[in-house]
Amino acid sequence: MSGTFITPQIPVLTAKAPYDEAQWLLDFSNVIPSGDTIASIASVLCNPIGLTIGATTIATGKSGASLAIGVVLSGGTVGAQYTVTAEITTVAGDQFARSIIVPVQAR
C-alpha cells in the first residue's frame, strides 16, 4: 500500500467562530493497520484558503497509540466551510490522508 493515499468519508465538525484558536484532532485510527502508528506528518492543507493552520503534532488517539494528529486552526470567514486535509506516513511506510470539514459561524 505504500505510496497511495487513502481518504475515508469526510466528517463535518462542530462550527468554530472566526476568533477561535484551538487544536482540532484528525483521527487515523480507522485506517492505520493494527500495530502501526504515525511516524510523520507530510502536509496539512486548507481548501479554500482562509483558515490559518498553526502547529501540528502527532497525538494519541482513542486507542492510546499515536494514531491521530493535532492541528491548531484559527481565523476563517463566517458562513464559510473549510476542508482541512492532513497527509501522514506510518512507521511501516503506508501513507494516508484524512480530511475534516470545519464550518465557521458567528457566536
Side-chain angles (χ1 to χ4, degrees), residues 51-104:
L51 284 182
T52 300
I53 298 171
T56 59
T57 57
I58 297 173
T60 303
K62 295 176 186 175
S63 70
S66 297
L67 300 175
I69 68 164
V71 179
V72 175
L73 300 175
S74 62
T77 301
V78 171
Q81 287 193 38
Y82 300 91
T83 301
V84 177
T85 301
E87 296 178 342
I88 59 97
T89 301
T90 68
V91 171
D94 292 331
Q95 297 174 317
F96 297 98
R98 181 86 166 136
S99 296
I100 54 174
I101 295 174
V102 181
V104 177

Side-chain angles (χ1 to χ4, degrees), residues 17-56:
Y19 54 82
D20 291 344
E21 182 174 346
Q23 184 178 67
W24 298 72
L25 289 179
L26 288 92
D27 187 357
F28 289 82
S29 63
N30 63 338
V31 294
I32 294 176
S34 179
D36 201 0
T37 59
I38 297 172
S40 63
I41 301 168
S43 67
V44 178
L45 302 172
C46 176
N47 186 23
I49 294 171
L51 284 182
T52 300
I53 298 171
T56 59

